[in-house]
Amino acid sequence: MRIGVLGTGTMAKALGTGWLRAGHEVTVGGRSRDRAEEVARALGERAGAASPAEAVAGRDAVLLAVGWEGMEPALRSAGAHEGSLAGVPVLDPTNAVEHGTGVLLPGGSAAGRVAELAPGARVVKAFHLFPAAFWERPAEQNSEVTVAVCGDDLDALRTSGRLVADLGATQAVLGPLARARQLEEAAGFLMGLALSGVDPHAAVPSLG
Ligand SMILES: NC(=O)c1ccc[n+]([C@@H]2O[C@H](COP(=O)([O-])OP(=O)(O)OC[C@H]3O[C@@H](n4cnc5c(N)ncnc54)[C@H](OP(=O)(O)O)[C@@H]3O)[C@@H](O)[C@H]2O)c1
């Protein structure tokens, strides 16, 4: 697949690494072109750097790897408001949380906001629960990992399912994008526990 990545931080690098290893092509676009080039160089031969608009043009999937505050400007710089992401599976791993508490910012879901800002995009909430480091490690180490996702578009969910599988994990579709806030709250809950010094595993019963 030809994957566009908006953002040049930890998630961009980790998921870019995993997907390149699986044989995909990754194009990184950030607000700083120099930083995008630096990240693409670090990712290796099949990675490229581009402007945000070029990074999303003609891609099979786009990852929105920016902090919550960067979501709107990043989408705008990629031309999302003008329909540049229409029809494109857009994977949203963002956590719109207060620093240091895990409390979600008020309002709807971050993924719902992406859908509003990017008319026609096939948004999938995905990859927001696991630390980035999971996606850099060898795929065999992720055989026990389930990535819970939600989204409205079946083709986009197939695309995210393949991209999850390429990282060695398994996708579980929880439902439509209307469930995104619940998935995002789950991440806030885990962060809240971790920040209080509690191992989240100890606070969640095994119901299997
Ligand atoms: N790191 C993790 O383990 C992890 C796990 C799950 C989910 N997430 C979520 O994934 C998202 C990305 O996390 P990350 O760890 O990759 O963050 P990060 O390393 O801090 O990188 C954030 C990226 O957002 C960009 N950005 C920030 N403000 C922007 C703006 N106004 N306009 C354009 N770009 C802007 C930054 O650009 P510059 O480089 O130019 O500053 C940077 O490329 C976050 O929403 C986070 O909650 C992270």
Side-chain angles (χ1 to χ4, degrees), residues 6-13 29-32 35 64-75 77 92-97 126-133 135 191:
L6 288 176
T8 52
T10 309
M11 284 292 269
K13 282 182 264 175
R31 60 179 162 180
S32 152
R35 182 98 187 96
L64 185 57
V66 297
W68 164 245
E69 64 290 351
M71 175 191 284
E72 189 158 351
L75 286 171
S77 67
D92 167 35
T94 60
N95 284 312
V97 291
F127 296 114
H128 69 302
L129 267 172
F130 285 88
W135 315 124
M191 282 181 221

Side-chain angles (χ1 to χ4, degrees), residues 159-186:
T159 299
S160 60
R162 183 173 161 206
L163 291 172
V164 167
D166 285 340
L167 300 166
T170 305
Q171 171 171 281
V173 179
L174 200 66
L177 203 65
R179 292 208 55 182
R181 177 87 188 180
Q182 186 183 46
L183 278 182
E184 293 168 4
E185 285 285 7

